């Protein structure tokens, strides 16, 4: 029985895989790499692609990752998978959107948020008035 | 004495309200359980990423990433996570109190404060407040927030930190203690505080592909995102727990009111009957 290496594949939203493997393949940024047990410590980023895990029993598991980081220690491989597709431009666009939303929310003083809020407040006030009136009637 | 019919209508309306609050309570209970599972699922990632960052820092003690360097705090940033909807008891109010106390403290020290708001309630509150600047917002994440929705908002703050426009970044959110209690906390995100450094005493280093600096940059960014994501998920669990408790109280109150009204109703009915009988008797006596 050949030696094995422990593999953890995790993403920010949850654990994806954890178990022993005889061989792991991952799409590193400099090209696909194969990791056998007792690999030298290595740290690299991942490209979007497929992580293949070969178990000692001869099964093969496939996981798609949209990027992330890979850490190798002699007996442990950790794949920190991204859940979202990352690229500099995409991140930049998302940041811009967040800023715009903030500006809109601030500028939009009479906009829909305010309106919804006012309506809710009105409904609450009316309910209060109704309740008070009814209570008065009962007490009389 | 109000009419018998009026009271009956009122009882019916209370009963229908009670049904709604009861349903909301049960929905919140089941959503809370799911949110708690998601909360647990986020832990392995941040633990592992933290460990890798610890290794990296240990292996390169002379390399200083801006995210790790302490600066004179002239301007601070807050990421505040609130819920999108109300009817969750005092959850958001308590959080705002804690956040405001912190904001005041920094403002008194002469630091400029800027905000990043997650959740519609926070946006409403701080717009009404109006004396702090809000740089980024994201609302309506739903019951299952995704990391992808938070990337942009977090990046705005990270970029500001990199440019030196803010010197410290805090995260304000609710911590799920148990179903009955949720506690607002303020945690420092930047500069990153790593406590468990001295445990690693081995002398070895990684092979880096590409450079250590690039890797550390990417990892730190993901680490902070995962912290914010964790906060958002935990806040959902808190929201559901708080709503469950609030709705339970509302249901109980409705029950009490119905009981009281029922008593008044019975009395009124009785009075009406007595009155009718005495009228009949009076009428018969007259004949």
């Amino acid at each position: 029985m050949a030696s094995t290496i422990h593999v953890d594949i995790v993403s920010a939203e949850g654990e994806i895989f954890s178990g022993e493997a005889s061989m792991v393949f991952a799409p590193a940024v400099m090209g696909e790499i194969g990791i056998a047990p007792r690999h030298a410590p290595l740290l690299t980023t991942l490209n979007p692609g497929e992580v293949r895990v070969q178990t000692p029993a001869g099964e093969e598991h496939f996981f798609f990752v949209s990027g992330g980081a890979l850490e190798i220690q002699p007996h442990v491989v950790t794949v920190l998978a991204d859940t979202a597709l990352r690229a500099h431009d995409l991140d930049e666009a998302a940041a811009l959107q967040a800023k715009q939303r903030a500006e809109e929310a601030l500028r939009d003083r009479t906009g829909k948020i305010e309106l919804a809020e006012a309506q809710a407040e009105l409904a609450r006030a009316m309910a209060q008035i109704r309740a008070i009136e009814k209570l008065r009637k009962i007490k009389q | 004495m109000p009419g018998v019919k009026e009271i009956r209508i009122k009882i019916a309306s209370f009963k229908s309200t009670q049904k709604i609050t009861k349903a909301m309570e049960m929905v919140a209970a089941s959503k809370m359980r799911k949110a708690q599972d998601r909360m647990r699922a986020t832990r392995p990632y941040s633990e592992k990423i933290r460990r890798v960052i610890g290794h990296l820092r240990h292996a390169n003690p002379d390399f200083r990433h801006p995210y790790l360097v302490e600066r004179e705090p002239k301007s601070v940033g807050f990421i505040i996570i609130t819920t999108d909807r109300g009817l969750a008891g005092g959850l958001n109010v308590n959080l705002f109190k804690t956040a405001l106390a912190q904001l005041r403290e920094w403002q008194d020290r002469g630091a400029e404060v800027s905000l990043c708001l997650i959740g519609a309630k926070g946006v409403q509150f701080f717009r009404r407040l109006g004396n702090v600047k809000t740089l980024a917002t994201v609302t309506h994440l739903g019951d299952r927030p995704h990391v992808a929705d938070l990337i942009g908002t977090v990046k705005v703050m990270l970029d500001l930190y990199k440019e030196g426009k803010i010197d410290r970044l805090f995260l304000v959110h609710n911590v799920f203690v148990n179903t009955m209690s949720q506690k607002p906390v303020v945690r420092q995100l930047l500069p990153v505080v790593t406590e468990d450094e001295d445990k690693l005493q081995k002398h070895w280093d990684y092979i880096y592909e590409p450079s250590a600096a690039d890797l550390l940059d990417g990892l730190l960014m993901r680490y902070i995102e995962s912290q914010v994501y964790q906060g958002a998920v935990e806040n959902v669990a808190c929201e559901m727990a708080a709503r469950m408790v609030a709705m339970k109280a509302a249901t109980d109150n409705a029950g009490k009111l119905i009981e009281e009204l029922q008593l008044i109703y019975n009395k009124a009915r009785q009075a009406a009957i007595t009155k009718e009988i005495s009228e009949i008797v009076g009428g018969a006596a007259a004949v």
Side-chain angles (χ1 to χ4, degrees), chain A residues 8 10-15 28-31 33 39-45 67-69 71-73 76 78-86 88 91-92 94-103 105-109 113-114 117 121 130-131 134-135 137-140, chain B residues 1-2 6-7 9-10 13 38 41-45 48-49 51-52 55-56 120 123-124 126-128 130 132-139 145-149 151-156 159 202 204-210 214-215 218-219 221-222 225-226 229 261 264:
Chain A
D8 286 315
V10 289
S11 80
E13 290 175 15
E15 194 164 63
V29 73
M30 307 291 218
I33 53 170
H39 192 285
L42 175 102
L43 199 58
T44 183
T45 49
E71 187 216 16
I72 304 170
Q73 283 185 48
V76 191
T78 311
V79 178
L80 300 162
D82 284 345
T83 44
L85 210 53
R86 304 295 291 263
H88 187 71
D91 286 7
E92 204 74 55
L96 270 177
Q97 269 178 10
K99 276 188 202 166
Q100 268 170 10
R101 275 196 303 265
E103 277 163 23
L106 292 177
R107 205 175 337 113
D108 195 22
R109 287 196 171 272
I113 306 171
E114 198 89 335
E117 222 179 301
E121 216 145 304
R130 245 180 286 140
K134 280 190 180 169
L135 273 176
K137 269 190 208 159
I138 289 167
K139 276 190 186 148
Q140 271 163 13
Chain B
M1 198 56 94
E6 275 171 53
I7 303 179
I9 291 167
K10 207 165 146 73
S13 114
R38 270 195 294 278
T42 60
R43 277 188 196 136
Y45 183 81
K48 286 192 171 113
I49 209 163
R51 205 186 58 206
V52 176
H55 278 304
L56 257 173
V123 175
Q124 281 170 16
F126 284 100
R127 193 193 34 205
R128 208 177 301 150
V132 274
K133 55 177 185 193
T134 306
L135 298 174
T137 61
V138 57
T139 55
H146 290 288
V147 179
D149 303 325
I151 289 171
T153 1
V154 177
K155 190 179 162 61
V156 172
D159 284 350
K202 280 173 271 167
W204 54 272
D205 200 358
Y206 291 107
I207 305 168
Y208 298 106
E209 277 179 22
D214 288 344
L215 277 166
L219 281 174
M221 185 177 81
R222 286 184 174 83
E225 278 165 11
S226 82
Y229 173 72
L261 277 178
I264 296 171

Side-chain angles (χ1 to χ4, degrees), chain A residues 60-75:
Chain A
E60 199 163 51
H61 299 287
F62 298 90
F63 302 96
F64 177 78
V65 292
S66 45
L70 174 77
E71 187 216 16
I72 304 170
Q73 283 185 48
H75 295 287

Side-chain angles (χ1 to χ4, degrees), chain B residues 3-272:
Chain B
V4 178
K5 198 178 162 215
E6 275 171 53
I7 303 179
R8 208 163 45 212
I9 291 167
K10 207 165 146 73
I11 289 177
S13 114
F14 272 140
K15 273 191 180 151
S16 68
T17 309
Q18 195 186 24
K19 261 183 216 150
I20 294 168
T21 55
K22 182 85 193 156
M24 281 180 84
E25 180 196 333
M26 287 191 298
V27 169
S30 93
K31 278 185 179 173
M32 183 189 75
R33 238 166 286 134
K34 279 182 208 146
Q36 267 178 293
D37 289 343
R38 270 195 294 278
M39 203 171 94
R40 269 190 286 276
T42 60
R43 277 188 196 136
Y45 183 81
S46 66
E47 266 163 33
K48 286 192 171 113
I49 209 163
R50 211 187 165 95
R51 205 186 58 206
V52 176
I53 291 171
H55 278 304
L56 257 173
R57 288 192 72 185
H58 185 72
N60 303 276
D62 38 296
F63 174 67
R64 306 301 284 173
H65 191 274
Y67 289 169
L68 302 168
V69 180
E70 191 91 14
R71 290 194 298 235
E72 177 75 23
K74 278 190 227 89
S75 153
V76 289
F78 283 89
I79 297 180
I80 299 175
I81 304 178
T82 55
T83 67
D84 277 329
R85 282 168 297 168
L87 292 182
L91 187 76
N92 287 320
V93 178
N94 288 339
L95 188 83
F96 291 143
K97 265 189 211 156
T98 314
L100 277 181
Q102 280 281 321
L103 295 186
R104 294 255 158 75
E105 205 184 306
W106 284 104
Q107 278 170 337
D108 288 346
R109 277 198 241 170
E112 204 183 317
V113 174
S114 38
L115 300 178
C116 161
L117 303 170
I118 299 173
K121 283 280 156 189
V123 175
Q124 281 170 16
F125 179 80
F126 284 100
R127 193 193 34 205
R128 208 177 301 150
L129 199 70
N131 61 354
V132 274
K133 55 177 185 193
T134 306
L135 298 174
T137 61
V138 57
T139 55
H140 303 289
L141 293 176
D143 299 331
R144 309 183 52 158
H146 290 288
V147 179
D149 303 325
L150 297 169
I151 289 171
T153 1
V154 177
K155 190 179 162 61
V156 172
M157 297 314 264
L158 291 183
D159 284 350
L160 283 177
Y161 186 87
K162 256 190 200 160
E163 290 161 17
K165 282 182 189 149
I166 55 175
D167 305 305
R168 217 163 270 198
L169 183 61
F170 293 95
L171 176 69
V172 189
H173 71 104
N174 281 299
V175 167
F176 188 89
V177 183
N178 55 44
T179 320
M180 297 305 289
S181 98
Q182 298 85 35
K183 210 174 73 192
V185 290
V186 183
R187 280 194 300 152
Q188 182 169 327
L189 284 180
L190 285 175
V192 175
V193 240
T194 43
E195 311 99 17
D196 41 317
E197 270 177 277
D198 38 18
K199 272 194 277 172
L200 311 151
Q201 286 301 329
K202 280 173 271 167
H203 282 281
W204 54 272
D205 200 358
Y206 291 107
I207 305 168
Y208 298 106
E209 277 179 22
S211 70
D214 288 344
L215 277 166
L216 193 57
D217 194 56
L219 281 174
L220 282 170
M221 185 177 81
R222 286 184 174 83
Y223 175 67
I224 288 153
E225 278 165 11
S226 82
Q227 295 291 297
V228 176
Y229 173 72
Q230 243 180 350
V233 172
E234 193 155 359
N235 210 60
V236 173
C238 289
E239 178 189 352
M240 293 310 160
R243 180 164 302 137
M244 195 180 89
V245 173
M247 286 302 118
K248 186 165 171 40
T251 310
D252 291 350
N253 279 342
K256 247 182 248 163
L257 278 174
I258 290 170
E259 234 168 74
E260 278 168 28
L261 277 178
Q262 191 73 49
L263 211 65
I264 296 171
Y265 170 72
N266 288 346
K267 274 185 194 159
R269 199 176 66 102
Q270 199 72 58

Side-chain angles (χ1 to χ4, degrees), chain A residues 7 11 18 20 23 44 56 81 87 99 101 119 121 124 129:
Chain A
V7 189
S11 80
S18 177
E20 299 294 318
M23 193 79 181
T44 183
K99 276 188 202 166
R101 275 196 303 265
Q119 275 170 345
E121 216 145 304
R124 203 175 334 157
I129 292 167

